[in-house]
Each structure stands twice: as structure tokens, then as C-alpha cells.
Amino acid sequence: FSPELGFALYCAEVQEGSNQQDMPDDDDDVKFNKSFSAGRTLSEEELETSWSGLSPKERKDWARQEEGKSTSVLRRANYKMLAYREELLRWLVDLIRSPLPTEAIHWFLDKLENGATTQSVPSLTAHLGTSAKMSSEEDDIGGNLNLVVIAHCIAKALPSPNEAKDLFSCAFHVPLNFLPFVARKNDLYGIHIVRGGTREKLEEYGAVVEVCDLGYDALTRSKDNASMYLSIINKFSTFIWMVYVTGLDDIDDALLKWLAEYTKAHPWRFVYLENTQTSWNFSENRDRCVYDHAPPPVERGIRSEDDLKRTAVKQLRPTHTQPYPRVATHCEKLNKKESGIQDMCWTDLSNHTRSFFSNSTETAPAKAKDGGNWSACLQTGADDYRDQVKELMQAPEPCVLLLCSPPGAGKSHFACELAELVKTKIGLRRAFIDGSDDRLVDMALAEILKVELPDPKISQFLIVDEFHMLKENHKCDLFEWLHVHARRLHVLLIANRKDARDEELLQELRDHSSNVGLNPPRIKSFTTRLGNQLLNEVMDKRKTKGREDILRWMHCSRCLFGGEAVSLRGIAKLEENLGKLQSSLNGGSSTRDLVNLLLNKVPTVSEATAQDFVTCFRASMGKDTVDAVAAVAQTAKSPVSIMLQASLLTEAMDNFGTDYPDFVASKLERAYDASPALRIAAWCCQMREAADTETSDARITKQMLEKMDSPKPLFGTSFVDQCGFPLQLEVKSKTDLSEGLAFSWGGDYTRMDEIIDAVKHGHSVDWKDVHDLCWQCEPVQDSTLLVELLSVCTSPAKVLTALTRENLCALLKKSKPADALFLAREVLKYHIHKSTVQEDKYNSPYRTSIWTAFLFDKELVEPNNLLLLMGPDTIPKDDSLVDWRDIELADALVWASTHMVDSKMICSDDDPKKRLKFLLDVLINLSLRLISNKESGKAAALWSGMFAPLLRTSHQTQNSNSRILIHVAIHGEDSNSKWQEPLPSLWALAHGKGTAAQVDKMWSFHRSLLFEGGTLIPSLAGGILCVSGVIPYELQEALLINDCFVDMKKFEDMTEDYGKAIKLIRNALDDLVKKDDSKIKIKEGTFKTAVMQEVLKIKAQDHIMSNDSAGH
């Protein structure tokens, strides 16, 4: 298709005036490739390289310069077509392989080449253009309906801009009433969601309908997505253009995306899904479906609790009573009544919710000037990710970037622009992979990568779109492949949402960057959302009207319902509906259009919520922010009204504050331990602080905060709890915040993969029901799937609580290190199955998790790291202050020393010496803190069991270690055969079981251990006096002259033992009495009494002996 080919001649008939309208009229200098201006015939490769090397502005400048040349008409048309050359080539291929008669294909090609001619439109009959007579119905529409529809779809698929498109579109007359049935979403996708009975209507028009009943397969789960996909597309044949699928009450996103892409690749084929609920499918997949004949989502009919009991509702959206016990417990800790929450002012409510949602045992929240501190929840996206990504991609060094934002934020369009930039700047050609590619049905990801990047020696720019649609094993396969090939690639991963595992995969790549050939700073992830900057850019290009209202709608709906509620694709429809709303007098139909627009984007909310939002938004239109807040507050007293007021607070700071769904999912600890009203209240408090923190005008901010309604209406509405925005009922509720209704997922609890998929799509799962009906009897075996579930779940604490103690302990002990550590961290974070040693016995998930962290967590390098892992409370700087974590950690280590002897292996990729040092540091540090808190008994118990050999005098400082040795010896209940000297001898002396040899050895080699503050330790002194034999003379003196106190509790027979004790010190005592008995200094006590009695006896004997000597 070089310029001289004749298929583009039709452009020559275009009037000069029409071309002038398409091209700007300025006289700027034009910079373009010389090969274009020379007018010579270029090879196909030269054409593609030269044209693609020009920017869009340079292409327009070139076309504008050619405008005035006499021979430029054909050349101008040809190069205009180069802008969509690939699309046109694909369309020609689709035309040739379509089932249209040969004469119809020739007619298309003739009109494309020659433009409008006198050749008539061919009649499309069921006999493929033979001379057979058509029926009267066929004659009315110019042929057989099915062939007419195929021709109509081929005509509509012609890429724009093309002057032949209008000619093609009006050539084949599909019946007006039948046109909605062959509409394609965005002129691309042929997926229709229809109600029951649609098949009969289609057949009445004469459409050939091929039915694919998947009811049995869906009920028995005998087919996976891939098998169902193949079953559906295998129904298509040369003249079968419609497959009507029945039996699917819901559809997996992967299957829905595969079908959508299939219809995009075959522009005349359609898939109809009868009575399939897609409310919980990802919004980007719903946007690929036509809903003109769809049944209303079940949520539309729910207005009261009675509606929840209807059979149709119970079948698709069952509910259960959800208790929120922590609400009442927290109020008790704060000495407040639960009923008083609804009467709180914003400041008090902020303090209350902040303390509730902090994962802390501290019950008294710190006061702040405006009600708590939500700084950790505030989110900013001031830096435009596009500039950062462009900077990284233009550098020649390889990189791996993950770009994540809700759908419709312009990521794919940006990736295409980036591909052109990278190709121009550093010469990398693009390779593209779709994470939802239907080739993954029967091809391994490695095979697809080999097809798209065949030469392992060439550097390329790899785009992986729909990265979030890849299964977990496919993501792992991709990153394993990157470990080998990333050194030659610039990689851009595009995702609409992230799993926790995604960041782990990137971190693993960073950890091995030296082997992979990447620089760690060039492995990054960007999380963004659709903001005002990009919206303004797009609306500037579109010359959109009513921009202020559109920006406000986008901001407020995104704040309340999340990023999936807005998209760049919705600007045109929003412009139309808001324009009608402003120009209409009553606004009834326009209001309804906006309600439907919102419900189509967020189908899981109730109609009451959508109506409240539109009503309040309409009240804010055309007003500045302060007046808008006041107007909304006066319009309605409802949770939606207050939330919209809160969103208006940050309207001028669009990149600050966190959207409600993101706030609940990632910013609140144990968010679903609270009722919906309390979560909404916390979000409003966060938005108020965001406005007060990043204000540019304190006066205006103060006015807005003052005009905002009180929080009381938040607690007067009934909700049905679910992930994301709760379903609002049109009835007033009780003020009981400790219990409420919640939707349940009604799937198969035995299939972990289905639970994961349900949670990813925002379904609420009754985890108590999961425990009672499944996991209590059938323990979870696959730790990898459990970890994936926890990473995507909004209530990980409830998931872990649904597991039995025995099951959780088994998973912690037998899983691979990464999974075991993930589970351990979650158990410690939420204090799962935290009971006493007597209650837990052998199966203690909490204590097993602490030991698992010791074994596998390389991030734990200091003792305080472990304490923070157990709880976020501030660690006391003063060792004399009691910390609850010290006691729990001591209990856990004592338990582990007995019950985890068979689990001493550490992670293989870490240095065993480092882990051993960390363990010793924790044991020593913890022992000292316990001793300071007069918990010497717990400190002594630490050094029993498998930790007994670790207590040596060579670790840490002599003073610290000696202190531990002494307390272990004194307070240890029993000696341990694995202790090393001098601890066994010290323990024996402390407990009155020592020997004279041990005393002599201790005095000779470890004398310092016997003293504290220059005085013999009382219990050791008492133990020394219990030995049989002789003790060193210096030790005898130490017992008598250093103000020593001797603990005599170990002496059983007072008379006999005291005699033995005095006998041990008799030599030193005699000498002191003879020389100077004033040197004898012993603290008051039994021992002093015995010594002083012996002194009197010695003196009496000496007196008698001296009298005898005098007499002689």
C-alpha cells in the first residue's frame, strides 16, 4: 500500500474546502523528513519509519504545506491515510474473510477505491448472490437479514476518518427496530446482556440464533473459563453470527473479557448473555457490554428489608446479620455510651473513630486541635506520573514500571504515546501483550512472549496491558521470564488494580537486580487516579462545554464511589446530560439520565443513593465551593449529602484526600469491624482534616467547615453492608451500631479460587458461615491460595478467625517460608486466636506466628522491630516501665522453647548467624527488661528448653550477661543439662544444692558473679553456707565483713544447718574475734543472730582459757 496504489483515489474527489476545515491555518515553520517533501516513491519500510517518526503536529504541518501544491491532492490523501494504515489493513482482512458474497466484497473494494459511482448496492440473499428470488421480507431490506447485518457491521467497522464510511453505513438497511440488537459498544464490542425472551424476538426478525446452554456446566462447575469460552466460540461458523448463551447467572471477568475481545476481532459476530448479572464485574468489562435489553440489576429493586426476603433477591444477594462487637467494646474502654456516638460533634467523632480504627491497645486517643490526626490517611498525587514515567523510559538503561489506576484514566492511550516517544528517542520498537489475551486459553505465557519478542538479542519496549487480569501463576511466570530477559527491555505493566503480591514481585526483582541487569531505582510502581489536570487537557482538546460542572461531578463521584465511577470516556455523555440539566426547566428526565449514568458506572449502589447524589449535586451547580456546601446541606439530610459536602471541601485540592472505597480498603485497620455509618463518619473526618491541612485560604476553609452539616444524619439511615459503598435502604434505621445486615456471597465455600474471585469483585462473604459449613470440617490445605485471599480481602482478621486453631498452626508450620511469614504477620497484626498457654496448649497460632517471624522475617534486625510487629504502641524508653508485649513475647518464647523444637530451621536465603544473633539479642534484651520489671521468674524461664545452650558469658557486655546469669540461677525452677558453666554451679549454689568444689571453682574463676554492689548476693550466700566441706578463707571473710545479708530460707534443720554454716566460716570468725570483732558487719537477720551468738561463745571460751592460763 504505497502512495501510488489506486485504492485511495477516492480522496481526490473531496472538495478543497472540506480539507481546509480539518487543518489549522498558521504559518509556523514546518519540520519534517526530507523524504516526504521530495515527493519520491518510498518503500513500505521507509514510509512507516519516516511517517511514524513525525509527531502529530509535524504530520499536520506537512499536510498543511502540501495544501497549496497543484499535485498534492492524491499525495495528501495518501499520507492522511497513513495515520490509520494498520487499522485499514485489519479492516480489509476482516472484509475478505467475512461470509459476504464475492460481489458484495467487490462492491466494498470498488467504493473504497473509486468513491461514489453508479454501481448499485448488491442484494444480499441467503443463496450468496445467486439468481434465486428473494422473499418479500428480504426484498424490503435488500437481502437476507443475517447477511445484511454482517455487511452493516463490516461497514460500521471501517476505521475513521474515511469519506467512504458514510456511504457504507447507509448502503445496507437493517430494520429500524432491529438496529438496537446489532449495536456494538463503542463500535467495537458485540456483547449484549439481555433479559429472558429476547431470543424469540430475534428469531421473529429472521435472525439465525445459535444457542449455547451452559446451565449444567455452571451448576456442576464441570468447565472452567477456558472450556466455556471454547464452547461458545465453537458455535460460530461461516454464517452463524450470533451465539445466545443461557444458564450463566454470573460470568467471570476473564471469560467476559475474552468474549469481548473475540467480538472485537470479528466485527460481525455477537454474543448474547441471557439473564447474566454483571453488577460485580469489573467496570472496564461492563463498559464493553450493551445493556439496551438487559434486566435491571437486582439491587434496583431493594428498598427495604422486606425486599431482601424476596426469593429472587435471596437467590442472587443473600444476606446475614453481621455483628460489630468491637463498637460496644471500644465505647466501654472509653467510658462512653454507644448511643452517644450519633450526638457527637465532628471533633469528638474524629477522635472516637481514629482511636477505634487504629490497631492499638491504647484506649485514650491523643487530642488534636481539630479532632484527631488522620495524617497517615491523607493521600497526595501532586506529581504527574506521566512526566516521571517518560523520564525513566527515555533513558537507555532497562527498567520495569508498574502503572496502576482505575479504568478510564488514560493509561492505555498514554502507553501508545509513550511507545512513539521511546521509538523516536532511543529506537525501541514496541511489543504488546494483553493480560486478558484469549491465547492464554491454550498457550502458555512463555509461548506468547516468545511470539511477541522472538529475538532474544534485540532490545524492545514491552507493554503488558491488563496486567491485573493475569492469574497469579501467570504473573509469577512473567516475572520469572523478566529475571532472564529484563536486561534488554523497557517494560511497562498497566493495571487497573493491584494485589499485595504485585509489590512483592517487584521487590523480588529489586532484590535480584544485580543478577537481572537492572538498577533498583528503575524498578518502580506508580499509583494514580483521574484528576483535574488530565481532565482539563482532554476537555481542552475536545472543546468541552460546562467544564466546571463536569470537573465537580468527576471529583465528587470519585470521592464517594471510587475511581471506577469516572472515566475519560464518560466526558461526552456527562457534557450532554449536564447541559440538558442546566437548560431544562423541571429537569426530570435530565435528572433521571444522570441517575442512570451513575448507576451504570457503579451498579452496586442503590437507586436511593444515586438519586440523593444527583439531587445534592444539582443543588451545588453554578455555585462557589462555600455556597455549594451550604446549598447541599440545606437540600438533604442524608449520608450521601454529608459525604458530598465533605468531597466539596477538597474540590480545589483534587489531588489531596483519599476516595471512600480506597480509604476503607487500605487506610483503616479492621474497617469491617465497624458499621457502615461509622466508616463513613471516619472518611468524612479524614476529608475535613485534608481540607484543613492543605488549605490555601484558611478563611474560606473555616467557612466551609462551619457550613457543613452535623454528622447526626449519618446514623439515621439503614444500610446493607458490602465491600465498597454500602447499599442504602429507603427506611430509617435503629441507632444500634453493634449489629446490622450484610450481603453474603452465595458461592461454593470449598473452592478457594472462587472465594478469591468473589472478594476481588467486592462480594461480601459471611466468614462465620464459611467456618461453620466448611473450614471447621475441611481444613484449608493450600497456603498460597490463602495468602492470595488475605492479600485481596478487606477483612483479613475475619478470614483468619474462620480457620481453626489446628488448621492455622499447621499452615504456619508446613507452608513455604514466604507464605508462612505472610500468615504470621497477619496473625500478629490482628491478634488472631490470642489466648493463654493453658487454653492453647500445643496449638497456639499467636505464639507460633511469633516463632515463625523469628525464623523467616529478615526485616527483623533489632529487638524493638519484633515488638512493633506485635503491636504499634509506642515502646517505653525506660526499661523500668512495664510493656504488655514484653510479657506476651516472654510467654511465647517459653512456649516455643518447648513446643517448637522441631521447627528450628531458618530461611535458606538468609545468613544463619544473623538469625541466631537476632534471637540472642531478643532473649538478652527481653531478659533485662523483665528483670527491671521484677519479672525475674519469666526471665529465667526464657533460658530453658531449646534456648538453654545460648546463655553464655561471651555475649553482649559482661555486666548485662552476668545479671541475667544470676537471675536465671536464682529464679530458675530447675537446672538444665544443656546449660554451660558457670550457670549449673551458680544454680546449684542458689538453690542450696552446691558442693565445696563448685564453691571453690566459682570463687576462683567467676568470683564477680557472686557479688552485687560489692556484697555477696543473699541467696547465693545462703547456698554457699549449705555446702559440706571447706570454703576458701577469703570467702569466709566476705560473708562476715561486707555488710552481707545471708538468705537462710534454704536451711531445713535450723539447729543442725546453722551449726554447719558456722563451721564453714569458723576460721575467719575466730581470727576476726581475736583481732578486732568490730570488723564483723552483717545485716540484721537470722544469720547475724547466729554469728553474734557464736562470737559470744568464742569470747566466752577465750575468757575461760585466759583465766585458766592465769591460774596456772
Side-chain angles (χ1 to χ4, degrees):
F1 294 97
S2 55
E4 53 272 301
L5 287 180
F7 76 86
L9 278 171
Y10 72 92
C11 294
E13 300 180 12
V14 180
Q15 294 182 359
E16 291 293 322
S18 63
N19 285 328
Q20 291 282 357
Q21 295 174 1
D22 293 335
M23 300 179 184
D25 227 356
D26 53 42
D27 296 324
D28 294 341
D29 291 336
V30 181
K31 298 180 180 179
F32 56 94
N33 194 293
K34 292 182 179 180
S35 59
F36 281 95
S37 60
R40 65 181 179 86
T41 301
L42 305 177
S43 68
E44 181 178 341
E45 183 176 356
E46 286 178 315
L47 273 173
E48 182 177 356
T49 302
S50 302
W51 181 259
S52 61
L54 297 177
S55 68
K57 182 178 183 303
E58 289 171 337
R59 295 179 188 181
K60 290 182 180 179
D61 288 342
W62 180 88
R64 186 168 59 251
Q65 188 186 57
E66 291 293 305
E67 188 79 23
K69 296 184 179 180
S70 58
T71 60
S72 66
V73 176
L74 177 59
R75 188 183 296 111
R76 181 168 63 253
N78 288 334
Y79 285 110
K80 186 178 179 182
M81 294 184 67
L82 283 173
Y84 61 99
R85 177 172 176 268
E86 291 183 8
E87 289 82 356
L88 184 60
L89 288 174
R90 283 197 294 268
W91 182 85
L92 289 170
V93 172
D94 289 337
L95 173 66
I96 300 301
R97 67 188 178 91
S98 71
L100 292 176
T102 303
E103 62 184 35
I105 295 175
H106 287 171
W107 180 86
F108 273 106
L109 294 175
D110 177 70
K111 298 305 175 187
L112 186 63
E113 180 178 3
N114 300 314
T117 63
T118 58
Q119 182 180 357
S120 61
V121 178
S123 296
L124 302 176
T125 71
H127 306 286
L128 304 184
T130 63
S131 59
K133 185 178 179 181
M134 293 186 293
S135 66
S136 59
E137 292 84 358
E138 291 179 343
D139 189 44
D140 290 338
I141 63 173
N144 177 269
L145 173 70
N146 300 284
L147 288 174
V148 169
V149 167
I150 294 172
H152 170 78
C153 292
I154 291 291
K156 295 285 287 184
L158 181 67
S160 299
N162 197 307
E163 285 77 357
K165 187 161 187 173
D166 292 338
L167 173 64
F168 288 170
S169 298
C170 62
F172 304 96
H173 304 287
V174 178
L176 187 63
N177 292 334
F178 193 74
L179 273 176
F181 291 104
V182 292
R184 299 181 78 84
K185 192 61 177 284
N186 301 326
D187 289 334
L188 295 173
Y189 304 104
I191 302 294
H192 282 245
I193 310 298
V194 297
R195 64 177 66 91
T198 304
R199 172 189 169 192
E200 288 73 15
K201 292 183 180 180
L202 294 171
E203 290 176 339
E204 287 176 5
Y205 282 99
V208 177
V209 180
E210 185 71 18
V211 178
C212 181
D213 186 359
L214 296 176
Y216 177 79
D217 298 323
L219 181 64
T220 61
R221 294 179 173 82
S222 56
K223 289 184 178 181
D224 59 10
N225 288 331
S227 300
M228 286 194 283
Y229 172 73
L230 294 174
S231 297
I232 294 172
I233 66 172
N234 285 339
K235 293 288 185 179
F236 287 106
S237 62
T238 304
F239 299 105
I240 298 298
W241 57 276
M242 177 190 297
V243 175
Y244 194 92
V245 181
T246 61
L248 287 182
D249 292 334
D250 51 56
I251 185 170
D252 189 82
D253 271 291
L255 177 56
L256 184 58
K257 180 68 179 346
W258 289 342
L259 292 173
E261 293 301 319
Y262 178 85
T263 61
K264 179 183 177 182
H266 301 77
W268 63 90
R269 289 181 173 173
F270 293 81
V271 175
Y272 276 62
L273 301 171
E274 183 184 83
N275 289 330
T276 300
Q277 286 286 335
T278 59
S279 297
W280 288 95
N281 287 96
F282 293 143
S283 61
E284 64 268 25
N285 291 330
R286 295 197 308 271
D287 286 344
R288 291 176 167 87
C289 302
V290 179
Y291 290 92
D292 292 345
H293 299 89
V298 67
E299 291 84 1
R300 299 294 174 272
I302 301 177
R303 290 180 169 80
S304 66
E305 292 186 13
D306 291 337
D307 292 329
L308 296 170
K309 300 174 183 177
R310 290 189 285 111
T311 304
V313 175
K314 288 171 64 177
Q315 182 179 358
L316 294 174
R317 299 301 308 275
T319 56
H320 66 278
T321 300
Q322 177 64 52
Y324 304 107
R326 283 189 64 222
V327 176
T329 304
H330 189 70
C331 288
E332 290 176 6
K333 289 181 179 179
L334 299 179
N335 296 319
K336 294 181 179 179
K337 293 183 178 180
E338 180 186 326
S339 58
I341 296 177
Q342 62 178 328
D343 297 320
M344 289 181 178
C345 65
W346 282 113
T347 301
D348 292 341
L349 186 60
S350 182
N351 278 324
H352 182 86
T353 53
R354 186 184 64 83
S355 63
F356 179 88
F357 289 111
S358 63
N359 191 29
S360 169
T361 60
E362 298 171 347
T363 57
K367 297 292 183 181
K369 64 177 182 179
D370 189 30
N373 179 14
W374 291 98
S375 57
C377 299
L378 303 184
Q379 174 177 305
T380 179
D383 295 329
D384 190 343
Y385 75 90
R386 292 174 295 174
D387 294 335
Q388 298 179 57
V389 173
K390 285 179 181 179
E391 182 180 353
L392 288 166
M393 283 293 177
Q394 289 182 81
E397 295 82 8
C399 62
V400 176
L401 307 181
L402 171 60
L403 177 58
C404 179
S405 75
K411 299 184 299 296
S412 297
H413 179 73
F414 170 69
C416 293
E417 292 181 346
L418 191 62
E420 291 292 329
L421 179 66
V422 170
K423 183 178 178 181
T424 302
K425 295 291 184 180
I426 55 178
L428 297 185
R429 286 185 172 273
R430 183 185 72 167
F432 181 85
I433 289 180
D434 190 335
S436 58
D437 196 329
D438 59 359
R439 288 181 294 176
L440 290 169
V441 172
D442 51 11
M443 286 179 68
L445 181 61
E447 295 179 24
I448 297 177
L449 288 165
K450 189 174 182 179
V451 170
E452 300 297 334
L453 297 93
D455 192 339
K457 298 179 181 178
I458 296 179
S459 297
Q460 285 187 267
F461 175 35
L462 172 62
I463 299 175
V464 182
D465 202 0
E466 306 281 356
F467 175 72
H468 60 281
M469 292 294 291
L470 288 174
K471 293 182 178 179
E472 188 67 25
N473 63 309
H474 286 145
K475 288 183 179 180
C476 294
D477 291 344
L478 174 61
F479 272 81
E480 286 181 11
W481 185 86
L482 288 176
H483 276 263
V484 179
H485 298 277
R487 65 183 70 249
R488 64 181 178 90
L489 299 173
H490 283 54
V491 182
L492 181 63
L493 310 173
I494 302 175
N496 291 343
R497 56 198 60 84
K498 280 196 296 187
D499 294 338
R501 180 70 177 140
D502 295 344
E503 289 294 344
E504 292 178 15
L505 291 171
L506 289 173
Q507 187 57 47
E508 289 175 8
L509 202 60
R510 293 188 193 99
D511 294 340
H512 298 88
S513 57
S514 58
N515 298 326
V516 175
L518 291 171
N519 190 3
R522 293 183 62 77
I523 305 173
K524 287 189 175 183
S525 66
F526 296 87
T527 301
T528 184
R529 60 188 184 185
L530 184 58
N532 286 350
Q533 181 175 345
L534 185 57
L535 283 169
N536 279 318
E537 291 177 10
V538 173
M539 288 192 289
D540 282 342
K541 294 178 181 178
R542 292 174 47 86
K543 298 181 179 178
T544 304
K545 298 179 181 178
R547 293 171 52 170
E548 294 301 322
D549 291 332
I550 292 176
L551 288 174
R552 177 169 289 179
W553 173 280
M554 291 285 193
H555 171 77
C556 294
S557 58
R558 191 204 68 209
C559 284
L560 268 68
F561 308 114
E564 297 194 358
V566 297
S567 71
L568 294 173
R569 292 186 292 269
I571 292 177
K573 194 70 176 177
L574 200 55
E575 178 186 12
E576 176 187 347
N577 290 334
L578 290 176
K580 290 180 181 178
L581 188 62
Q582 281 188 327
S583 60
S584 62
L585 296 177
N586 53 32
S589 61
S590 301
T591 299
R592 187 65 205 172
D593 290 341
L594 283 172
V595 169
N596 289 333
L597 179 66
L598 181 59
L599 289 174
N600 288 336
K601 295 298 291 183
V602 196
T604 57
V605 302
S606 68
E607 194 162 352
T609 296
Q611 288 174 344
D612 276 358
F613 181 87
V614 173
T615 300
C616 293
F617 177 81
R618 186 179 182 188
S620 75
M621 291 177 65
K623 298 179 177 65
D624 62 36
T625 309
V626 176
D627 291 339
V629 171
V632 173
Q634 294 173 1
T635 301
K637 304 293 182 182
S638 67
V640 172
S641 171
I642 293 179
M643 294 181 76
L644 198 142
Q645 294 170 51
S647 65
L648 287 171
L649 298 177
T650 61
E651 183 179 25
M653 306 164 294
D654 184 65
N655 55 8
F656 209 73
T658 307
D659 303 339
Y660 175 75
D662 292 338
F663 178 77
V664 172
S666 60
K667 303 297 183 181
L668 291 184
E669 293 289 351
R670 307 187 73 164
Y672 288 88
D673 284 359
S675 62
L678 209 55
R679 296 197 296 269
I680 292 174
W683 178 80
C684 292
C685 293
Q686 174 256 167
M687 294 296 283
R688 286 174 62 89
E689 182 157 328
D692 199 27
T693 302
E694 289 296 312
T695 181
S696 57
D697 192 325
R699 182 182 59 83
I700 292 179
T701 301
K702 183 178 179 181
Q703 290 177 357
M704 289 191 296
L705 294 174
E706 290 174 349
K707 290 182 179 295
M708 187 172 172
D709 210 346
S710 71
K712 189 168 185 175
L714 294 175
F715 305 98
T717 301
S718 182
F719 292 102
V720 183
D721 205 357
Q722 62 183 0
C723 292
F725 201 94
L727 188 84
Q728 177 183 343
L729 301 179
E730 297 178 6
V731 292
K732 298 296 182 181
S733 74
K734 305 173 184 177
T735 57
D736 183 11
L737 297 177
S738 295
E739 188 177 87
L741 290 174
F743 284 118
S744 309
W745 175 67
D748 186 353
Y749 294 154
T750 63
R751 298 178 66 93
M752 183 70 80
D753 56 340
E754 292 189 8
I755 298 178
I756 293 171
D757 187 66
V759 170
K760 282 183 176 180
H761 288 82
H763 286 287
S764 298
V765 179
D766 184 356
W767 297 109
K768 184 179 182 301
D769 205 37
V770 174
H771 169 80
D772 295 340
L773 300 180
C774 183
W775 289 357
Q776 187 177 22
C777 306
E778 299 181 28
V780 174
Q781 303 293 335
D782 193 329
S783 62
T784 302
L785 286 178
L786 179 60
V787 168
E788 185 179 355
L789 172 60
L790 291 171
S791 68
V792 300
C793 182
T794 55
S795 305
K798 294 182 179 180
V799 177
L800 292 170
T801 305
L803 296 166
T804 63
R805 296 173 183 271
E806 296 77 11
N807 190 187
L808 191 50
C809 285
L811 290 169
L812 286 165
K813 293 176 183 178
K814 298 178 181 179
S815 302
K816 60 184 180 181
D819 290 346
L821 178 58
F822 185 93
L823 293 176
R825 282 181 165 271
E826 294 296 295
V827 170
L828 295 176
K829 181 178 181 180
Y830 299 111
H831 299 175
I832 304 300
H833 292 308
K834 184 179 177 182
S835 304
T836 64
V837 174
Q838 291 75 18
E839 292 172 331
D840 281 344
K841 297 182 180 178
Y842 180 74
N843 292 303
S844 178
Y846 187 77
R847 295 172 179 82
T848 304
S849 297
I850 291 177
W851 183 243
T852 301
F854 267 106
L855 294 179
F856 304 128
D857 197 340
K858 294 184 290 183
E859 294 181 9
L860 301 179
V861 293
E862 296 180 359
N864 285 351
N865 297 150
L866 183 59
L867 296 181
L868 290 174
L869 187 62
M870 296 171 63
D873 295 354
T874 304
I875 298 174
K877 296 181 179 179
D878 187 352
D879 287 348
S880 64
L881 297 178
V882 177
D883 189 292
W884 61 271
R885 289 164 296 193
D886 291 334
I887 306 300
E888 290 189 356
L889 180 57
D891 287 340
L893 289 175
V894 171
W895 179 89
S897 68
T898 305
H899 296 93
M900 302 299 292
V901 178
D902 57 341
S903 301
K904 293 188 290 186
M905 184 187 303
I906 66 168
C907 44
S908 58
D909 59 343
D910 196 13
D911 184 359
K913 292 183 179 180
K914 290 182 180 179
R915 305 311 301 160
L916 181 59
K917 181 182 182 302
F918 173 67
L919 175 60
L920 281 171
D921 288 345
V922 170
L923 287 170
I924 293 172
N925 183 274
L926 181 59
S927 296
L928 294 173
R929 291 176 69 90
L930 290 171
I931 291 170
S932 299
N933 288 296
K934 298 181 180 180
E935 294 283 354
S936 297
K938 291 185 179 294
L942 283 175
W943 302 95
S944 60
M946 64 176 172
F947 303 140
L950 302 180
L951 186 55
R952 303 176 184 178
T953 56
S954 59
H955 296 297
Q956 283 205 352
T957 65
Q958 183 68 25
N959 290 337
S960 298
N961 218 44
S962 298
R963 190 181 180 196
I964 295 172
L965 283 169
I966 293 168
H967 281 268
V968 170
I970 295 172
H971 298 281
E973 294 182 359
D974 198 0
S975 181
N976 194 296
S977 60
K978 296 181 181 179
W979 280 344
Q980 298 185 22
E981 289 291 350
L983 185 53
S985 298
L986 200 61
W987 183 89
L989 294 178
H991 292 267
K993 299 179 180 181
T995 65
Q998 288 177 320
V999 172
D1000 187 65
K1001 189 175 182 179
M1002 288 296 301
W1003 187 256
S1004 301
F1005 300 104
H1006 304 286
R1007 185 177 303 185
S1008 62
L1009 295 177
L1010 303 176
F1011 289 85
E1012 186 174 24
T1015 305
L1016 281 170
I1017 298 172
S1019 57
L1020 293 179
I1024 290 171
L1025 294 175
C1026 290
V1027 303
S1028 300
V1030 179
I1031 62 175
Y1033 182 84
E1034 292 178 348
L1035 179 55
Q1036 295 178 36
E1037 285 186 331
L1039 287 165
L1040 295 170
I1041 65 175
N1042 291 323
D1043 203 19
C1044 178
F1045 176 78
V1046 179
D1047 185 356
M1048 306 294 285
K1049 294 178 182 178
K1050 301 177 180 64
F1051 291 79
E1052 299 176 359
D1053 187 331
M1054 302 299 292
T1055 303
E1056 182 180 348
D1057 289 345
Y1058 283 5
K1060 288 173 58 178
I1062 295 300
K1063 186 178 179 180
L1064 285 172
I1065 59 172
R1066 186 58 182 264
N1067 292 338
L1069 185 61
D1070 285 343
D1071 289 345
L1072 287 170
V1073 172
K1074 291 177 182 179
K1075 295 178 181 178
D1076 184 2
D1077 62 355
S1078 64
K1079 291 183 177 180
I1080 299 176
K1081 292 182 179 180
I1082 305 172
K1083 287 187 176 180
E1084 293 294 333
T1086 307
F1087 179 64
K1088 182 175 182 179
T1089 302
V1091 170
M1092 296 314 294
Q1093 288 176 355
E1094 191 64 27
V1095 169
L1096 292 175
K1097 288 180 182 181
I1098 294 173
K1099 288 183 176 181
Q1101 290 176 358
D1102 288 346
H1103 181 70
I1104 293 172
M1105 290 177 66
S1106 73
N1107 288 338
D1108 290 343
S1109 298
H1112 287 300

